[in-house]
Amino acid sequence: MIFSKLRRKTKKKQEPISLFTTNRKEKVLLEPLKPGVVTIYSCGPTVYDFPHIGNYRPYVISDILVRTLTNAGYGVTHAINITDVGHLVGDGDEGEDKMELGAQKRGKTVPQIALEVEECFKRELKELNIITDKTLFPKATEHIKEQIAFIETLEQKGYTYKISDGIYFDTARFPEYGRLGNRDIEQQQEGARVEVNPEKHSGADFALWKFSPEGETRQQEWDSPWGKGFPGWHIECSAMATKHLGKTIDIHTGGVDHIATHHNNEIAQSEVVTGKQFVRNWLHVEHISIEGNKISKSVGNTVYLRNLIERDISPLSFRYWLLSGHYRTRMNFTWEAVKGAHTALFKIHKYFTEHLLKVQSDTEDATYTKAIRDALRDDLDTPKAIALIWEIIKDDKLTPGKKKATLLVADSLLGLDMQGRDSLFNQKNNVKISVNSLPSDIQDIIQKRDTARKNHEWEVSDTLRDELTKKGYTVIDTKEGTTVEISSQNPQHEEGR
Ligand code: AMP
Ligand code: ZN
C-alpha cells in the first residue's frame, strides 16, 4: 500500500517534445530509448585554438535542449567531448594535425595549448550561463585504449584496410554510408575540389589510425597493434559516446558542417561495431556568419567572446542575441545587432531589478508558462519564448508577484540570469573607479592579473579575479585597459560616487 503510493508519487509523467531531426527530415516526437531518460552527445571543440563566437552557438542550443528536457520531467545525461588529438586540417585525412600545428604556432607543447583552450572553453560556457555541473567532458587522449578497441573490432569484422599512412575504414562495405544529409550529392561536389589520397579505395574512406611519419617525432603518439601513431578524428566520438552513453544515443548535436563527413563517419563506425542504431535523433545547428562573411582566420573577421566584453557587451547579451534566432536559421552577426540585444536585455534586467526583485513571488501565470514551455517543446522555438517574455513584462493585468514567478520560470528555461549575479542592471549600478585610486594591495592584484592575462594564464587570472570579487571589486576588461567597479557593499563605494 505504502509502496504503491510512493511509486505513484515518484513516477512523474514527462511531457512530449518534438524536434526536427536531420535523419528524418521532419519534426518528430522524442521517444527516448529508456522512458524518462535522455542521452545527449554534442561534438565538442578541437582545443588547438580559442573558440570563436560561432563555436558557441551549438552549446547554447544544447543548453536550451537540456533545460527544456529537464523542465519537461526527463532525466538527462549530456556529454561534450574535448578533441585534443587527431583532427587534421580539413575534413580529409591529409594535412597536419591541428593540435601539433596550434602548439607550434604558439611555441608551446600540445598538452599546454590543449589545457589552456579547454579551460577557456569551460570558463566561457559558464559566462554564457550554460549549465555544466552535470555535463561530462570526455577527452580523446584519455580514451586511446577505447579507440584502439573500436578499431580492432572493425578490423576483425573486415571493415578496414591498411595503406602506407594508416588504417582506413572501407565505406564500400557499409552500403548505407552517407545516408545522413544526402552525403552522395555532397560527395560529388567534394570530389571536384579535394585531391583524394590515391591509395584510398574510395574518396569517402577515412582514417581510423594514422601512423607516425617515419623519422619524425610527434608530440602525440601511442603504441598500437598497428605500430606507433594516433587515432583519426572521427573514431573518438564513436568510442566515447558508446562508453559514456551506451550503444544507442537519443540525441546527437553538432554544427551543420559536421553532417556530411564527421557524422556519417561516426554512424558507419559505431553501427558496424555495435550492430545497433547509433543515434535516434540528429540535431544540427546552423552557422552564424560575421558581417555577411563566413567566420575565417584567413579572412581575419574572427570575433571572440573577449572582444564583446572589451566593448562592454556581456556574454549574456550574446546569448540573448543567439536565442532571438531559431537554431535552424543561419544568423548574421553584426555589432549593431549584438548592441541591440544588449540594450534589450539590459531593459529586461532593469525592469526585473526595479519592479520585481524585492517583491514576494506568487504562483506563476499558467497560461504564459504553458505558452513558453510549449514553444520550447516545439523544436526549441527560442524567438517565440523571448517574445513571450516581453508580453509578460508589458502585461498590466498580472500582479507583480505573479509576474515575478512567471518570469523566473521563463528564465530557468532561457538562462538570461534576470535576478542573478550577472544582472546587467546591477553592474551598471556599481561605481566605476580608476585603478590608480585603489588601495595598493588591490592595485598589486590587478597588476598580477594583467600579466597573467597577457600570458594567457586564464586560470591564474580567474583566481585573482575571484580574490578581487571577494574584496568587493569587479574587474572590467575594456579596450582602454582595466577598470574597476565597486559594489555597493564595499565601504569605498560612497567615496567613488
Ligand atoms: P570545432 O572546434 O571546429 O570542432 O567546432 C566546434 C563547434 O562549432 C562544432 O559543433 C562546429 O560545427 C561549430 N561551428 C563552427 N563554426 C561555426 C559557425 N560559424 N557558426 C556556428 N557553429 C559553428
Ligand atoms: Zn563528433
Side-chain angles (χ1 to χ4, degrees):
M1 173 75 174
I2 294 173
F3 280 123
S4 63
K5 245 192 199 164
L6 207 69
R7 212 175 299 130
R8 233 177 294 138
K9 237 185 171 174
T10 49
K11 209 172 165 197
K12 197 173 162 210
K13 183 106 186 77
Q14 293 80 34
E15 290 167 77
I17 293 192
S18 68
L19 295 169
F20 185 97
T21 70
T22 313
N23 43 317
R24 298 270 296 272
K25 302 190 189 78
E26 60 181 351
K27 270 191 210 172
V28 295
L29 210 59
L30 180 72
E31 288 177 49
L33 192 64
K34 287 193 196 129
V37 185
V38 180
T39 51
I40 308 173
Y41 185 89
S42 302
C43 284
T46 306
V47 288
Y48 71 110
D49 203 350
F50 299 98
H52 56 63
I53 54 168
N55 293 130
Y56 285 108
R57 189 176 190 195
Y59 310 115
V60 168
I61 297 306
S62 59
D63 181 54
I64 294 291
L65 178 64
V66 171
R67 286 170 186 259
T68 304
L69 286 164
T70 311
N71 182 276
Y74 297 87
V76 177
T77 311
H78 183 203
I80 302 177
N81 69 295
I82 303 286
T83 299
D84 55 357
V85 65
H87 194 166
L88 303 183
V89 175
D91 263 348
D93 301 300
E94 279 71 49
E96 291 177 76
D97 185 328
K98 287 187 178 187
M99 292 305 305
E100 299 257 344
L101 215 58
Q104 263 169 36
K105 229 169 64 187
R106 289 191 161 73
K108 301 209 168 173
T109 65
V110 169
Q112 273 171 344
I113 187 75
L115 192 67
E116 268 178 34
V117 177
E118 183 191 341
E119 282 173 355
C120 166
F121 173 66
K122 288 182 176 164
R123 189 182 54 248
E124 296 193 328
L125 289 182
K126 285 207 180 105
E127 287 177 4
L128 286 161
N129 209 15
I130 291 170
I131 300 171
T132 53
D133 328 357
K134 291 188 190 150
T135 314
L136 308 172
F137 289 101
K139 274 192 215 178
T141 52
E142 288 172 4
H143 293 78
I144 300 294
K145 192 170 64 76
E146 288 81 354
Q147 295 179 72
I148 290 176
F150 232 82
I151 304 168
E152 281 182 311
T153 310
L154 289 171
E155 193 175 45
Q156 281 152 18
K157 292 192 173 184
Y159 282 79
T160 66
Y161 61 87
K162 180 178 168 182
I163 57 176
S164 57
D165 70 349
I167 306 291
Y168 281 72
F169 185 94
D170 187 357
T171 52
R173 294 270 287 109
F174 189 70
E176 282 190 74
Y177 183 79
R179 69 173 182 241
L180 193 70
N182 303 325
R183 164 76 203 249
D184 285 351
I185 303 158
E186 205 88 32
Q187 211 180 330
Q188 282 158 11
Q189 293 165 347
E190 202 65 314
R193 278 187 280 122
V194 179
E195 223 180 277
V196 172
N197 178 346
E199 284 186 67
K200 286 201 313 193
H201 299 179
S202 149
D205 296 351
F206 54 93
L208 298 163
W209 187 263
K210 293 274 284 189
F211 306 137
S212 292
E214 235 167 87
E216 223 179 85
T217 327
R218 277 182 55 87
Q219 291 193 42
Q220 290 181 299
E221 55 184 7
W222 292 264
D223 287 323
S224 81
W226 315 280
K228 260 200 173 33
F230 59 99
W233 169 38
H234 317 289
I235 196 77
E236 69 175 80
C237 289
S238 292
M240 296 195 289
T242 308
K243 177 172 177 190
H244 295 282
L245 304 176
K247 292 176 181 164
T248 299
I249 307 161
D250 291 310
I251 305 172
H252 193 316
T253 74
V256 285
D257 53 316
H258 285 339
I259 302 173
T261 305
H262 183 51
H263 288 165
N264 272 303
N265 294 356
E266 280 187 32
I267 293 173
Q269 300 161 153
S270 304
E271 298 196 352
V272 169
V273 167
T274 69
K276 299 240 155 57
Q277 181 184 19
F278 177 43
V279 172
R280 290 160 76 87
N281 302 284
W282 283 95
L283 190 138
H284 286 104
V285 178
E286 251 302 344
H287 273 196
I288 69 168
S289 40
I290 294 185
E291 310 279 359
N293 294 307
K294 187 176 171 212
I295 306 179
S296 144
K297 297 238 163 72
S298 52
V299 175
N301 65 347
T302 312
V303 174
Y304 300 93
L305 219 52
R306 301 277 128 210
N307 302 133
L308 302 187
I309 297 167
E310 279 161 13
R311 295 194 190 200
D312 278 345
I313 294 167
S314 149
L316 275 183
S317 306
F318 176 63
R319 179 182 173 104
Y320 179 94
W321 175 74
L322 280 177
L323 299 182
S324 69
H326 189 265
Y327 78 90
R328 283 192 286 120
T329 312
R330 202 179 168 91
M331 289 180 85
N332 183 31
F333 174 92
T334 63
W335 286 104
E336 276 64 44
V338 80
K339 275 180 200 156
H342 188 72
T343 308
L345 186 60
F346 178 74
K347 278 188 191 156
I348 295 178
H349 281 193
K350 184 172 188 293
Y351 181 85
F352 198 95
T353 310
E354 287 184 346
H355 299 276
L356 306 177
L357 200 61
K358 296 208 173 94
V359 166
Q360 177 76 37
S361 203
D362 194 351
T363 51
E364 65 226 38
D365 179 86
T367 314
Y368 278 125
T369 45
K370 181 177 182 312
I372 289 180
R373 298 165 80 236
D374 284 353
L376 293 174
R377 288 190 296 102
D378 180 12
D379 198 26
L380 312 179
D381 194 344
T382 54
K384 195 167 178 185
I386 285 189
L388 282 158
I389 286 190
W390 286 104
E391 274 187 44
I392 298 165
I393 288 177
K394 287 178 188 152
D395 189 340
D396 294 334
K397 288 195 287 301
L398 283 182
T399 62
K402 270 205 169 302
K403 221 176 235 198
K404 180 174 186 178
T406 313
L407 282 175
L408 286 179
V409 172
D411 203 26
S412 70
L413 282 155
L414 292 172
L416 299 175
D417 201 19
M418 285 185 214
Q419 66 166 2
R421 69 197 154 87
D422 287 334
S423 167
L424 303 189
F425 182 65
N426 287 340
Q427 281 175 22
K428 296 275 177 211
N429 251 356
N430 289 343
V431 173
K432 267 199 182 136
I433 195 163
S434 84
V435 173
N436 293 341
S437 58
L438 291 168
S440 61
D441 59 322
I442 302 296
Q443 288 195 37
D444 279 352
I445 304 177
I446 291 174
Q447 215 164 36
K448 272 191 211 149
R449 187 171 168 275
D450 282 345
T451 313
R453 277 171 55 79
K454 247 186 237 143
N455 298 333
H456 286 226
E457 291 163 2
W458 303 117
E459 206 176 335
V460 180
S461 130
D462 270 3
T463 313
L464 293 170
R465 181 170 46 187
D466 290 348
E467 207 175 307
L468 289 162
T469 311
K470 268 192 220 133
K471 291 177 189 279
Y473 301 91
T474 307
V475 179
I476 314 283
D477 303 308
T478 69
K479 253 197 320 233
E480 291 74 32
T482 308
T483 60
V484 171
E485 283 186 354
I486 300 185
S487 66
S488 46
Q489 283 85 29
N490 188 307
Q492 231 191 330
H493 185 261
E494 285 313 311
E495 288 166 39
R497 270 197 187 276

